[in-house]
Amino acid sequence: MACWLFKTEPAEFSIDQLAASPGGIARWDGIRNYQARNYLRDRVAIGDSVLIYHSSCKIPGIAGTATVVCSGYPDPAQFDPHSPYFDLKASPDNPRWFAVDIRFENRFANLLPARNLKKDPELSDMVLFSNGRLSVQPVTDRERQHILSLAKVSPGPA
DNA sequence: GCCAACGTTGGC
DNA sequence: GCCAACGTTGGC
């Protein structure tokens, strides 16, 4: 089982919206970056663990966890001319962008602020800090374990 | 709102 | 294929 960090702007789609989705399941779509696309298309698998990261908000950080319930498939939004994610150059025969489905697992009692995680020696190698703009990124098992242990002790905003 | 870092585009 | 110009991301 692999682990991933998915970034989202909570104003667009938050972990609460995920939790409120039918069955706690939602499509993770609208990813328009090739490196992230490659992960969604080729690597993200059913049963993988996901850390949900809130970005571009008051306190950016990890908000909770989810599980992958459907691996990569063409993102329907790319074919919809009314969608902000429409892509003129994509076609069903030759899809350019991919989505996965995830199911809500847990919302941390206290969000883990990125500025705290950044100071944590256990997490110094996280992709989050070397390529902060990548919206789908791999997380090592060690990083995941550490983050989950932090979430349990509920450190809260420092 | 600023700005640094990074990604994409397009002329050559 | 290079690289300058431009656009986007995202923390602050």
Side-chain angles (χ1 to χ4, degrees):
Chain A
M1 182 210 67
C3 182
W4 307 94
L5 184 144
F6 287 6
K7 303 174 81 165
T8 181
E9 301 188 14
E12 296 296 318
F13 190 82
S14 69
I15 192 158
D16 291 326
Q17 282 169 270
L18 175 63
S21 300
I25 294 173
R27 171 182 295 149
W28 205 261
D29 61 1
I31 301 297
R32 296 293 180 267
N33 166 281
Y34 287 105
Q35 198 179 346
R37 186 279 310 268
N38 292 345
Y39 284 134
L40 291 178
R41 186 188 59 189
D42 305 332
R43 298 291 178 86
V44 178
I46 292 175
D48 282 0
S49 172
V50 177
L51 301 173
I52 302 295
Y53 181 92
H54 283 177
S55 67
S56 294
C57 55
K58 198 160 186 178
I59 304 177
I62 300 175
T65 61
T67 307
V68 177
V69 293
C70 182
S71 57
Y73 58 93
D75 180 352
Q78 69 193 305
F79 310 128
D80 175 6
H82 301 298
S83 167
Y85 300 117
F86 177 66
D87 187 336
L88 190 60
K89 292 177 181 168
S91 68
D93 284 349
N94 192 16
R96 179 179 288 200
W97 307 112
F98 284 72
V100 300
D101 292 348
I102 62 172
R103 182 173 56 224
F104 173 77
E105 193 171 76
N106 182 36
R107 184 192 202 284
F108 293 163
N110 296 98
L111 176 135
L112 302 176
R115 67 168 178 276
N116 292 2
L117 302 178
K118 203 168 189 170
K119 290 183 289 190
D120 193 322
E122 295 283 317
L123 302 176
S124 57
D125 292 333
M126 280 192 80
V127 178
L128 185 61
F129 307 124
S130 56
N131 185 1
R133 307 199 320 161
L134 187 58
S135 56
V136 172
Q137 51 181 261
V139 175
T140 67
D141 195 52
R142 193 169 139 278
E143 290 162 349
R144 173 172 174 271
Q145 296 297 339
H146 187 69
I147 287 163
L148 293 182
S149 74
L150 291 177
K152 269 181 212 154
V153 300
S154 302

